[in-house]
Amino acid sequence: MSDISLEDQQKSVQQKLGRFMLRVQRYEMLLKALVIDSVTSGTVESAPLNKQLRRDHFATKPMGYLFDELHRSYLRQMGETAPEEEESEVDPSRPTFHTRMSMQLAPEDLEQTKARNEAFKNLRNRIVHHLYEEHDLTTKDGCERALALLDMGLDSSQVHYEE
C-alpha cells in the first residue's frame, strides 16, 4: 500500500467504516426483530399493543443488551425449558395466550455461539468506540492497521448476519 497516498488511505478508512456501520445496523435490526418476535402474549385485542411495547422497549437498546437478551431468553441448551413468565394482571373472563420461540443447541454449540457473539460485540465496540484511539489515521501505518481491522470487522459482520 506504500504507493497509495495518505489521503486515499484515509478515504478508504472512511468508506470501510461507513460500510461496517451499515452492516452492523442491519445486523442489530435483525437481532431486535428476533428478540421482539420471539415472545407474543395477551388477548386477541391486547397482543398487538404488547408487541408494540416490546418493540418500543428494544428500539434503543445497544448490541450488548440484545446479545444478553438473546442468550437469556432465546438460545437454550438442548432439553432446557424456558424460564417461567411472571404472572401479569389477567382478566379470567378473557382467553389469553403466551408463546415463546427459542433455539436449542448442543452445550458446546451454545457456548461457542455465546463466545462468538461476545467476540463480535468486542470487535464492534473496538471499531465504533476506539478506532481513532488505537490507530493514528494521520499516518500511512495507522491507516493500514485500521483498514486491516475494518476488513476483519466487515467479514465478521457479514458472517454473523448470514448465520
Side-chain angles (χ1 to χ4, degrees), residues 119-132:
F120 180 69
K121 180 183 77 173
N122 291 337
L123 176 61
R124 177 240 178 236
N125 288 344
R126 215 176 131 199
I127 291 172
V128 171
H129 299 295
H130 305 288
L131 187 71
Y132 284 110

Side-chain angles (χ1 to χ4, degrees), residues 9-25:
Q9 281 183 310
Q10 290 170 331
K11 286 179 184 177
S12 186
V13 168
Q14 293 166 358
Q15 290 170 341
K16 286 186 180 190
L17 179 59
R19 279 197 298 269
F20 176 77
M21 294 300 297
L22 291 172
R23 281 191 186 173
V24 166
Q25 287 181 10

Side-chain angles (χ1 to χ4, degrees), residues 78-145:
M78 199 68 75
E80 180 184 23
T81 59
E84 291 295 318
E85 291 296 317
E86 293 181 20
E87 288 292 321
S88 59
E89 295 292 320
V90 177
D91 179 357
S93 67
R94 303 279 307 152
T96 61
F97 66 94
H98 182 86
T99 61
R100 174 183 294 278
M101 292 182 285
S102 64
M103 177 182 285
Q104 293 191 347
L105 301 168
E108 60 276 2
D109 292 336
L110 181 61
E111 288 308 311
Q112 184 181 40
T113 298
K114 287 179 179 181
R116 285 191 357 250
N117 287 345
E118 184 68 20
F120 180 69
K121 180 183 77 173
N122 291 337
L123 176 61
R124 177 240 178 236
N125 288 344
R126 215 176 131 199
I127 291 172
V128 171
H129 299 295
H130 305 288
L131 187 71
Y132 284 110
E133 288 173 18
E134 294 181 7
H135 305 288
D136 182 0
L137 300 181
T138 63
T139 68
K140 284 186 170 190
D141 184 53
C143 285
E144 286 178 20
R145 286 186 286 109

